[in-house]
Amino acid sequence: MKIYTRRGDAGDTGLYGGARVPKDDLRIRTYGTLDELNAVIGVVLSDEEFHADGRALLLRLQSELFQLGAELATPRGKTIAMTLVDQSQVEALEKEIDGMEAQLKPLKSFVLPGGSKGASMIHLARTVSRRAERELVSLNRAEPLRPAVLQYLNRLSDFLFVLARYMNHIAKIDDVPWIAPL
């Protein structure tokens, strides 16, 4: 199978089921940003700071992002023959957040993104996740989505923030607090 089809040369692309939409359609932009987030997590995984448990968790998140992307690539009214991200994945992220936060100093201020290489890359993933969430909210206004989709992406960005702090904790690097100018 060739990778290029030439069907998108005029600026449109196909959704699951064959419907054609412009490549800048909000649905396409949203799952494109999920794809970008997935790629950033792939870059994170290339860093050797991640032990086997962390790698397995990030690989699970990549798979869940593909699930979300597949759902968004499916037009309303079409059924998708796969398990969808649901409340159990939201709760799994919450459990992971709680477990890491239990080992961190409580936040007393905003923190600047950075620290170890791994933490810095996770902060980058977090910002892409927040952008995907903003696009998802816009898409939800235009075409209501399942609540679990919005909840999952909101929790994912929280998870990535805590994971970045946790990576700095493991590396024995303190978070750098943001100090507001007077």
Side-chain angles (χ1 to χ4, degrees):
M1 178 172 113
K2 287 187 176 186
I3 192 68
Y4 61 89
T5 63
R6 298 187 174 116
R7 289 190 302 257
D9 289 353
D12 63 345
T13 191
L15 295 175
Y16 178 76
R20 305 291 294 176
V21 296
K23 287 186 177 184
D24 64 352
D25 182 88
L26 183 54
R27 179 178 290 273
I28 305 304
R29 286 197 325 261
T30 303
Y31 74 70
T33 304
L34 289 178
D35 187 37
E36 180 184 350
L37 171 58
N38 211 332
V40 172
I41 291 173
V43 171
V44 169
L45 281 165
S46 72
D47 190 337
E48 292 163 12
E49 282 185 54
F50 290 90
H51 53 78
D53 292 343
R55 297 185 86 68
L57 176 60
L58 290 176
L59 286 168
R60 188 193 88 210
L61 295 179
Q62 284 190 303
S63 180
E64 290 170 355
L65 287 169
F66 258 84
Q67 284 175 271
L68 284 178
E71 181 173 353
L72 294 178
T74 304
R76 290 177 75 94
K78 295 272 186 190
T79 52
I80 185 167
M82 68 182 308
T83 303
L84 301 177
V85 168
D86 63 18
Q87 197 61 37
S88 66
Q89 281 100 341
V90 174
E91 291 168 4
L93 286 173
E94 290 172 349
K95 184 178 176 184
E96 295 288 342
I97 291 168
D98 293 343
M100 288 184 291
E101 279 195 318
Q103 299 178 57
L104 299 174
K105 295 177 188 172
L107 279 177
K108 295 184 187 225
S109 68
F110 289 106
V111 295
L112 299 176
S116 71
K117 181 180 175 186
S120 298
M121 290 187 299
I122 292 167
H123 274 297
L124 176 60
R126 173 188 54 80
T127 65
V128 176
S129 180
R130 288 286 188 210
R131 179 164 33 93
E133 183 181 8
R134 291 188 301 271
E135 291 172 353
L136 193 68
V137 167
S138 295
L139 179 59
N140 184 60
R141 263 198 304 275
E143 302 177 43
L145 304 167
R146 294 180 313 108
V149 173
L150 293 161
Q151 293 166 358
Y152 178 85
L153 205 50
N154 184 36
R155 218 61 87 249
L156 179 59
S157 55
D158 294 337
F159 168 82
L160 292 169
F161 175 75
V162 174
L163 180 59
R165 292 189 65 224
Y166 185 73
M167 289 302 299
N168 279 337
H169 169 74
I170 289 173
K172 298 185 179 2
I173 296 172
D174 289 334
D175 289 318
V176 177
W178 175 64
I179 300 170
L182 300 175

